[in-house]
Amino acid sequence: MKYALITGGTSGIGAAYAKELASRGYNIVITGRRREVIEKKASEIRERFKVEVEVVLADFTQREELDRLLKRVEVMDIEFLVNNVGFGNKKVFLEDTYESQKKMLDVQIDAMCRITHMVSKKMKASGRGNIINVSSLAAFTPASFNHLYSASKSFIVTFSEALYIDLMESGVGVQVVCPGFTKTDFHREMDIEEKTFENRGLVRWMEADKVVEISLKKMERGGGICIPGTCNKILYLLLKFLPRGVYYKMAKRMSM
Ligand SMILES: NC(=O)c1ccc[n+]([C@@H]2O[C@H](COP(=O)([O-])OP(=O)(O)OC[C@H]3O[C@@H](n4cnc5c(N)ncnc54)[C@H](OP(=O)(O)O)[C@@H]3O)[C@@H](O)[C@H]2O)c1
């Protein structure tokens, strides 16, 4: 029985992957912390696509809860993995305790690596599978309000590209997707004002479904990095070629 594991399937981008992969016939395993919301999402997918949907409640900042998920996944045949769990900084690095800031590393780096390590080894042995790691355009935009968010998303890009190169020609595809601003629960969780959700210049808000559609279409052609949306691609290229000194000054001005 073929399974897709999507971490953070409660809402937003993860829920969109779960829906899209269910429509392609995968049985689904989704994880999250909000019990009622995720159970509702699971029932909707079961009813609409007639596939099995299993919910694993796990807070990735809690080691024993992540261990429980890994134990469950170890005995399953996961053919598609989407490492999607993530959250934004509520406090800046130097105005918070290190223990609180470290949760970002536990969730976006340690949990992602542990799940990938277990699942990709099995995929490599069987010679088939797909892995999508959800990073962000923030991987390329370090700023004084997002130290560990931006740095961990940057880690996800580098790690995923290394895995992609490693598993090339093994039958296992690896993609790292870097969405720009996307309408999900992400910014609401961060208590960001509603007016922030407006298009400005090259900043274009995308729907989660569109991000997922582009990511999966690109995955069919092969792995590597995926930047969904034309404006996001332009931003990515501008950031890549902008002299660092100019970027630093811009980023400093924008954070004031
Ligand atoms: N929205 C954007 O503009 C944007 C842009 C670029 C990249 N991204 C990335 O896209 C990914 C998905 O985010 P989203 O925008 O779809 O936001 P979202 O709607 O808030 O979804 C985040 C998911 O992660 C789960 N999650 C958060 N913290 C967790 C923790 N400590 N342990 C376990 N699960 C946890 C949430 O589950 P519960 O709510 O059930 O806890 C939820 O399912 C993230 O990696 C984010 O960094 C988002």
Side-chain angles (χ1 to χ4, degrees):
M1 190 112 52
K2 65 175 187 178
Y3 278 94
L5 165 63
I6 301 107
T7 71
T10 325
S11 54
I13 297 172
Y17 274 113
K19 205 174 57 179
E20 191 50 42
L21 291 171
S23 80
R24 295 169 186 219
Y26 284 92
N27 292 307
I28 302 294
V29 184
I30 42 177
T31 78
R33 297 167 301 177
R34 286 175 289 170
R35 182 190 291 271
E36 271 181 34
V37 186
I38 202 165
E39 291 291 1
K40 189 161 172 259
K41 190 68 57 189
S43 313
E44 282 167 15
I45 298 173
R46 257 182 231 117
E47 242 165 71
R48 184 160 165 208
F49 301 105
K50 312 290 175 225
V51 295
E52 281 182 24
V53 184
E54 182 170 329
V55 169
V56 181
L57 290 172
D59 181 342
F60 287 5
T61 64
Q62 305 301 312
R63 182 72 182 223
E64 60 291 353
E65 294 187 24
L66 181 62
D67 284 344
R68 195 154 35 78
L69 169 68
L70 288 170
K71 216 165 160 196
R72 177 70 191 110
V73 167
E74 199 173 16
V75 296
M76 297 179 107
D77 187 13
I78 304 291
E79 278 194 26
F80 212 118
L81 167 65
V82 184
N83 279 303
N84 162 74
V85 163
F87 63 97
N89 285 113
K90 282 198 172 161
K91 284 189 173 171
V92 297
F93 189 64
L94 295 180
E95 288 168 15
D96 199 3
T97 62
Y98 183 67
E99 272 318 298
S100 159
Q101 288 282 311
K102 186 178 165 288
K103 289 183 179 157
M104 182 75 74
L105 307 182
D106 293 340
V107 171
Q108 295 198 158
I109 297 183
D110 187 52
M112 187 273 301
C113 286
R114 290 181 66 208
I115 296 167
T116 306
H117 188 257
M118 173 183 282
V119 173
S120 60
K121 268 177 125 170
K122 285 172 73 179
M123 285 181 176
K124 188 180 178 187
S126 69
R128 66 178 202 286
N130 286 300
I131 298 170
I132 295 179
N133 290 332
V134 182
S135 175
S136 168
L137 264 195
F140 316 104
T141 57
S144 51
F145 51 84
N146 72 359
H147 306 60
L148 290 186
Y149 182 73
S150 186
S152 53
K153 291 301 187 186
S154 213
F155 177 99
I156 295 173
V157 172
T158 309
F159 168 75
S160 308
E161 289 190 310
L163 194 67
Y164 168 58
I165 296 162
D166 180 14
L167 295 179
M168 244 178 210
E169 293 160 25
S170 71
V172 182
V174 182
Q175 178 188 89
V176 57
V177 61
C178 301
F181 289 108
T182 310
K183 292 175 201 157
T184 66
D185 290 353
F186 184 91
H187 299 90
R188 280 177 201 94
E189 294 277 319
M190 291 170 72
D191 302 326
I192 290 176
E193 287 178 70
E194 201 59 33
K195 72 171 172 33
T196 317
F197 299 96
E198 284 166 9
N199 291 333
R200 266 170 295 116
L202 283 171
V203 173
R204 301 276 133 183
W205 284 82
M206 287 179 74
E207 300 292 335
D209 284 348
K210 190 69 194 167
V211 168
V212 167
E213 182 195 318
I214 295 170
S215 152
L216 291 176
K217 201 178 265 176
K218 179 136 200 270
M219 191 75 188
E220 282 163 14
R221 299 196 301 270
I225 193 162
C226 169
I227 315 280
T230 308
C231 288
N232 289 333
K233 277 197 190 78
I234 296 171
L235 275 172
Y236 167 71
L237 290 172
L238 286 175
L239 287 162
K240 207 168 170 152
F241 294 110
L242 198 67
R244 291 315 275 171
V246 177
Y247 174 78
Y248 299 147
K249 282 192 188 123
M250 261 174 49
K252 183 71 186 167
R253 230 182 355 236
M254 277 165 64
S255 65
M256 289 196 301

